[in-house]
Amino acid sequence: MSATKSLSLVRTIVERDGKGVLELKVSEVPLPQEADLKDDEVLIAVEAAPINPSDLGPLLAPSHAAIGRFDGAVTDASAEGRRVTSLPLPDSTFRALRGTKAMGRANRVGNEGAGRVVGAGRGSVAQSLKGKLVAAVGMGGSYRQHAVAKASQCLEHLEGTSAEEAASSFVNPLTALSMVRTMRAEGHTALVHTAAASQLGQMLVRICLADGIPLVNVVRRPEQVALLKALGAELVVDRSATSYESDLIHALEASGATMAFDATGGGTLAFDIIKAMETVATRKGASMSGYGSTTFKKLYIYGGLNAAEPVILRPQAGMGGFSWSVAGFLWDPSQVTHEEKQRVAREIKTTFATSYSRRLSLEQMLDLPTMKAY
């Protein structure tokens, strides 16, 4: 490969034989040059980038693979001998996209990654990062060998941290920290978190233990209870247990939680949580209206692990009248504080440590059995 070229995973929607196909391939792209960087930009030699749940939609949608269906998917080799994976689109989706600018447009994906800064713009902040190991977002795709990012969207790591350790510095750590920041800003004192055995969930357990915040963890299996208990979690509720409903009420009573963050985004879990919060409020003698307690209950949906089902709420079936709110939640990079970035850098091997199931090259990401696994 030429010294002026770099490799990048590229996704493009194309038409083949009258059908829509999402094409994923590793392509040579021009290597950004330091002389072309803006004052506040850096050039990063990317060494590691995670595949988070939040990456799967941008990577696989709108193909059937985005919902776990790989019927008709094929892998071939390009003229350069590199792997090309083609994922069929639903016919209705293709008809809607046909003739639009989405067809044939190459996109790069990957929310975050880490590597050494090998080039910098003339600004003082950018220059201060030259040669440093940084994690970054806003790179226009992290599944590539080289990427350009604004210096303000980088998180400098301490010596002794590896790129693999630093790769997951933004999406999970800063989402967890922003949950705590939101809880405090909105006047709540404790949290409920669903799908709590996830990487983010484990980070939240450690944060809440360190910061003295009561946390109710909701999981699906007994082994996930054991995992979180081993981390020090005190309140873990297993949805598969016959005592699930009473366990949830007990945990909410013990914690006083009136704010929840739900990663499932479907089914009745949001209803279960708000209803249990209302039960606890009435037991504790909260002031009442004609519809239920006046205790305000807030639930944020920030994921779609159960997105195949609609979110089911029953306002007249024990949720406490209308003294509750359900909203969407995403961490906002513009709200991240310097102190939060410093904490992530300091605690990347402990509080914010991430484990990975396996290591993949860019081309290995396009292997169909591997794609089905992640």
Side-chain angles (χ1 to χ4, degrees):
M1 186 174 64
S2 166
T4 61
K5 298 290 185 180
S6 182
L7 294 178
S8 176
L9 192 154
V10 178
R11 49 158 281 156
T12 313
I13 298 174
V14 299
E15 180 176 353
R16 288 190 192 150
D17 301 323
K19 298 285 187 178
V21 173
L22 174 62
E23 181 183 87
L24 298 170
K25 63 182 179 180
V26 177
S27 298
E28 285 190 10
V29 297
L31 175 65
Q33 300 300 303
E34 185 173 36
D36 297 327
L37 297 175
K38 296 178 182 177
D39 288 353
D40 62 344
E41 290 180 336
V42 295
L43 174 62
I44 303 167
V46 181
E47 299 175 40
I51 304 174
N52 289 310
S54 57
D55 290 304
L56 297 183
L59 179 64
L60 301 175
S63 75
H64 288 296
I67 56 172
R69 288 177 49 196
F70 288 85
D71 314 33
V74 295
T75 298
D76 296 307
S78 67
E80 296 80 21
R82 295 195 176 92
R83 185 173 289 159
V84 179
T85 296
S86 300
L87 306 171
L89 269 60
D91 289 340
S92 58
T93 301
F94 174 56
R95 286 195 297 270
L97 293 176
R98 198 174 195 175
T100 70
K101 293 181 179 180
M103 298 296 298
R105 182 171 59 199
N107 294 297
R108 297 176 181 86
V109 290
N111 286 321
E112 63 180 329
R116 292 279 168 187
V117 174
V118 294
R122 292 175 294 180
S124 59
V125 178
Q127 283 291 317
S128 72
L129 295 176
K130 202 165 184 179
K132 303 290 183 62
L133 175 71
V134 300
V137 290
M139 297 181 282
S142 59
Y143 303 142
R144 56 202 303 187
Q145 290 182 327
H146 295 87
V148 173
K150 290 184 178 296
S152 60
Q153 293 179 302
C154 294
L155 191 160
E156 180 184 344
H157 276 277
L158 304 174
E159 287 301 321
T161 299
S162 70
E164 185 173 312
E165 290 169 330
S168 294
S169 294
F170 280 90
V171 175
N172 287 334
L174 292 173
T175 296
L177 287 172
S178 67
M179 289 175 176
V180 172
R181 180 173 6 100
T182 300
M183 177 203 73
R184 289 172 173 150
E186 297 188 16
H188 298 262
T189 58
L191 290 173
V192 180
H193 186 226
T194 71
S198 65
Q199 297 282 355
L200 189 157
Q202 293 175 53
M203 292 177 190
L204 191 59
V205 167
R206 299 185 192 109
I207 291 168
C208 289
L209 284 171
D211 294 2
I213 299 167
L215 174 66
V216 176
N217 302 274
V218 181
V219 297
R220 293 181 300 167
R221 297 190 296 273
E223 58 267 30
Q224 294 174 329
V225 176
L227 170 67
L228 296 185
K229 289 283 189 180
L231 292 178
E234 296 179 8
L235 301 171
V236 188
V237 178
D238 180 4
R239 294 186 71 197
S240 70
T242 56
S243 56
Y244 159 59
E245 290 186 8
S246 61
D247 290 345
L248 180 58
I249 291 170
H250 171 75
L252 291 170
E253 203 162 22
S255 66
T258 49
M259 173 173 278
F261 288 89
D262 176 35
T264 67
T268 62
L269 184 53
F271 168 71
D272 293 344
I273 292 169
I274 295 174
K275 181 181 178 182
M277 287 177 177
E278 173 66 6
T279 298
V280 171
T282 56
R283 283 184 181 180
K284 290 185 174 181
S287 60
M288 304 293 287
S289 71
Y291 301 98
S293 83
T294 58
T295 299
F296 186 69
K297 303 162 284 288
K298 184 67 171 280
L299 184 138
Y300 281 110
I301 295 172
Y302 78 97
L305 297 176
N306 193 24
E309 295 185 40
V311 175
I312 299 172
L313 301 174
R314 299 186 179 94
Q316 306 301 331
M319 288 176 65
F322 296 97
S323 188
W324 51 266
S325 176
V326 175
F329 181 86
L330 284 175
W331 72 280
D332 182 350
S334 69
Q335 298 298 313
V336 174
T337 67
H338 178 65
E339 290 73 20
E340 287 172 340
K341 283 187 175 183
Q342 286 188 318
R343 182 174 183 179
V344 172
R346 284 195 314 270
E347 302 176 25
I348 198 66
K349 296 174 182 285
T350 52
T351 306
F352 304 107
T354 299
S355 59
Y356 302 98
S357 59
R358 60 184 296 190
R359 296 176 181 85
L360 303 171
S361 68
L362 290 175
E363 290 211 20
Q364 287 170 336
M365 282 181 65
L366 306 185
D367 175 66
L368 281 174
T370 300
M371 294 179 80
K372 293 174 184 177
Y374 65 67

